[in-house]
């Protein structure tokens, strides 16, 4: 089917959903609902919409976007706040017998994902009416969601896909696609003015799924932290002052941090900040 141009005076394009459109949006998105949890989430947002609740006022709440042409809804998307890493990953299972170590590692993981979620928007559902696919409607919905979330201060937009064809489509739209079943975030935490400490956290996905990640600002970058045989792209999503994840800073570590800062100041005085920063970036690259 060819592209349909709007008649004079008719709207065409992406806009926020309006009160009374909950039923139409529910019908559009029903095919991408995979389980009861998804169904309850979608139903909840559609009911809020039809009761006139403006979820856009709340930073962590989601918002519904629609694509309208000739006064007909042809596509819809629900964008929510990030909620990744809410449960400890399977990689912590082997620590279950060591309660203190398990609690420490689970706490660190929770803190890292809290930083990710604070700057993350999530494309929970998106669908286009079957008769109108292939006309760029999905891409317009994604672009509008990205623009809106960027204005709200988000730095990355994530989503899940289960089909290789969809994964390739999102890749064409500029998304980073994770390997099946696993996604990773590579963070750079600011220790000093010139020193950034890298940390990597893994997210176990639902069986058969992939995560797609769209950077929304220039300083969100990708690192390949895998191998040639098993590539694993990870996203630099957060950069903020370093804080210990679970304890007060031990005296020995505080002393080491002070010595590192003194060394960085000395090297900066001799060689200049750009040289020191490039050397440290090269060091991080080798470590990754």
């Amino acid at each position: 089917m060819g592209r349909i141009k709007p008649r004079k005076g008719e709207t065409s394009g992406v806009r926020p959903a309006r009160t009374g459109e909950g039923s139409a949006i529910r019908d559009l998105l029903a095919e991408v609902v995979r389980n009861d949890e998804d169904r309850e989430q979608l139903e909840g947002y559609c009911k809020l919409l039809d009761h006139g609740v403006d979820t856009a006022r709340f930073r962590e709440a989601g918002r519904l976007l629609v694509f309208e042409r000739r006064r007909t809804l042809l596509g819809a998307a629900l964008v929510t706040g990030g909620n990744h890493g809410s449960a400890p990953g399977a990689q912590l299972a082997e620590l279950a017998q060591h309660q203190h170590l398990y609690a420490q590692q689970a706490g660190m993981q929770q803190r890292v994902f809290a930083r990710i979620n604070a700057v993350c928007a999530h494309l929970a559902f998106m669908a286009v009416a079957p008769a109108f696919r292939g006309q760029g409607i999905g891409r317009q919905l994604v672009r509008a969601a990205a623009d809106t979330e960027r204005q709200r201060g988000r730095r990355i937009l994530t989503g899940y896909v289960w089909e290789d064809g969809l994964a390739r489509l999102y890749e064409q739209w500029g998304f980073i696609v994770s390997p099946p079943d696993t996604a990773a975030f590579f963070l750079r935490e600011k220790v000093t003015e010139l020193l950034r400490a890298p940390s990597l956290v893994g997210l176990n996905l639902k069986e058969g799924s992939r995560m797609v990640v769209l950077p929304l600002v220039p300083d969100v970058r990708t690192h390949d932290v895998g191998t040639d045989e098993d590539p694993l792209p990870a996203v630099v999503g957060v950069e903020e002052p370093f804080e210990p994840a679970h304890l007060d800073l031990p005296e020995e570590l505080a002393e080491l941090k002070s010595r590192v800062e003194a060394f960085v100041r000395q090297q900066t005085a001799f060689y200049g900040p750009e040289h020191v920063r490039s050397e440290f970036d090269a060091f991080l690259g080798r470590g990754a």
Side-chain angles (χ1 to χ4, degrees):
M1 179 178 292
R3 296 180 180 274
I4 302 174
K5 295 182 179 180
R7 296 191 181 100
K8 186 176 180 180
E10 292 181 333
T11 59
S12 179
V14 180
R15 61 166 173 79
R18 297 170 184 156
T19 301
E21 294 178 335
S23 179
I25 291 171
R26 188 186 304 110
D27 292 343
L28 274 170
L29 296 179
E31 67 172 291
V32 294
V33 170
R34 301 185 65 86
N35 51 42
D36 289 340
E37 183 181 351
D38 286 355
R39 190 171 295 105
E40 290 175 7
Q41 183 184 28
L42 177 60
E43 184 70 23
Y45 275 104
C46 289
K47 285 184 177 179
L48 287 174
L49 175 68
D50 283 343
H51 282 82
V53 178
D54 181 14
T55 59
R57 293 182 301 161
F58 308 104
R59 175 176 169 80
E60 300 306 323
R63 61 179 62 196
L64 285 160
L65 299 174
V66 297
F67 182 93
E68 179 187 49
R69 182 183 289 159
R70 291 188 178 176
R71 300 174 185 172
T72 302
L73 302 189
L74 305 183
L78 171 61
V79 185
T80 67
N83 189 30
H84 303 303
S86 56
Q91 64 269 24
L92 297 183
E94 61 189 38
L95 301 177
Q97 301 302 318
H98 308 278
Q99 294 184 7
H100 294 296
L101 187 57
Y102 180 87
Q104 179 192 76
Q105 294 299 314
M108 291 175 67
Q109 174 177 292
Q110 186 178 24
R111 283 287 297 275
V112 171
F113 274 115
R115 297 177 186 183
I116 294 168
N117 291 329
V119 296
C120 174
H122 184 65
L123 188 62
F125 308 112
M126 186 183 74
V128 176
F132 296 90
R133 290 172 185 166
Q135 300 183 25
I137 294 174
R139 184 167 189 168
Q140 290 187 56
L141 282 165
V142 168
R143 185 180 299 160
D147 290 343
T148 300
E149 297 305 321
R150 187 184 297 110
Q151 293 170 10
R152 299 178 78 191
R154 308 291 193 183
R155 302 180 65 181
I156 52 179
L157 175 66
T158 63
Y160 294 112
V161 295
W162 276 263
E163 299 173 11
D164 289 341
L166 276 177
R168 288 191 293 270
L169 182 63
Y170 275 95
E171 203 164 23
Q172 292 174 9
W173 292 348
F175 282 77
I176 301 155
V177 180
S178 78
D181 306 328
T182 305
F185 292 89
F186 181 82
L187 311 184
R188 287 165 60 95
E189 298 174 299
K190 188 174 181 180
V191 179
T192 70
E193 190 61 34
L194 297 172
L195 186 62
R196 305 291 190 275
S199 59
L200 183 70
V201 61
L203 178 65
N204 297 309
L205 308 179
K206 295 178 181 179
E207 184 177 357
S209 69
R210 297 183 180 217
M211 176 174 280
V212 293
V213 181
L214 179 67
L216 300 180
V217 293
D219 59 333
V220 173
R221 296 180 293 134
T222 308
H223 288 259
D224 187 356
V225 295
T227 64
D228 291 339
E229 295 76 21
D230 188 18
L232 182 62
V235 180
V236 181
V238 179
E239 184 172 310
E240 63 178 33
F242 171 78
E243 295 178 2
H246 58 287
L247 298 170
D248 291 333
L249 198 63
E251 184 177 344
E252 297 83 0
L253 186 55
E255 181 181 350
L256 177 61
K257 180 175 179 287
S258 177
R259 290 168 58 189
V260 168
E261 290 173 341
F263 176 74
V264 169
R265 285 195 297 271
Q266 181 192 63
Q267 294 295 301
T268 302
F270 281 129
Y271 303 110
E274 291 302 323
H275 175 80
V276 175
R277 180 63 182 268
S278 65
E279 287 293 315
F280 191 70
D281 278 345
F283 169 75
L284 288 182
R286 291 193 297 272

